[in-house]
Amino acid sequence: MKNFTANLVICFFTLFLNSQINASGFFGSSDSEGKSGLMAEAIKYAELAKTHKAHPEEIHEYAKMSLEYVKKAEIQAIEHDNTQARTHITESLRRLVEAIKHARMGHARIATEYIDDALVEMYQMTDN
């Protein structure tokens, strides 16, 4: 019975520590976590596109979804007269369009490179 109680205590202690580590984000997180709004959605879909490096069809679909959110963010930036954000958005749009074009042609590696470039611009916009 002592072994059972000791094992039970160890299990609860392990679960407690595991939940504390996960809550602190120790194991890492996606760059889009913690961000909100249209650009966060665009980043999320661009990151998903990036994870499908060898599948141009998947890159194409996720890049198109990201592009839609970036377009909406552009409209929002125009409405708020945010010229600094618009610069990053314009570059993100340009690179996403290129990624979609190359994914459509089956060039997964090149499309992924354009996704990476678009993500850099998106991150810079959200950091400002």
Side-chain angles (χ1 to χ4, degrees):
M1 189 67 171
K2 269 186 163 179
N3 260 350
F4 178 74
T5 306
N7 286 337
L8 191 61
V9 169
I10 290 171
C11 285
F12 282 123
F13 185 68
T14 303
L15 285 173
F16 175 74
L17 283 180
N18 188 31
S19 65
Q20 295 301 314
I21 290 172
N22 286 336
S24 70
F26 179 76
F27 289 121
S29 63
S30 166
D31 288 331
S32 65
E33 289 181 16
K35 294 179 172 61
S36 61
L38 296 170
M39 194 52 72
E41 288 296 313
I43 290 170
K44 178 178 80 172
Y45 285 113
E47 287 174 345
L48 284 170
K50 187 178 168 181
T51 62
H52 293 281
K53 292 178 183 175
H55 303 99
E57 309 85 26
E58 297 292 325
I59 293 171
H60 181 261
E61 288 304 311
Y62 286 119
K64 277 182 15 183
M65 294 166 83
S66 180
L67 181 67
E68 292 304 314
Y69 281 103
V70 173
K71 286 179 180 178
K72 291 175 185 176
E74 180 182 40
I75 292 168
Q76 195 175 54
I78 291 169
E79 288 173 352
H80 292 97
D81 198 31
N82 189 343
T83 55
Q84 187 175 8
R86 285 179 58 201
T87 303
H88 295 297
I89 290 171
T90 301
E91 287 302 310
S92 297
L93 285 170
R94 188 175 66 77
R95 289 180 170 117
L96 284 171
V97 167
E98 285 296 317
I100 291 168
K101 181 176 86 174
H102 284 283
R104 196 177 301 132
M105 291 188 288
H107 305 152
R109 185 185 56 77
I110 296 169
T112 303
E113 289 173 8
Y114 277 109
I115 294 286
D116 285 337
D117 294 342
L119 279 167
V120 167
E121 292 295 330
M122 289 183 219
Y123 295 144
Q124 287 178 354
M125 191 221 138
T126 57
D127 289 340
N128 292 330

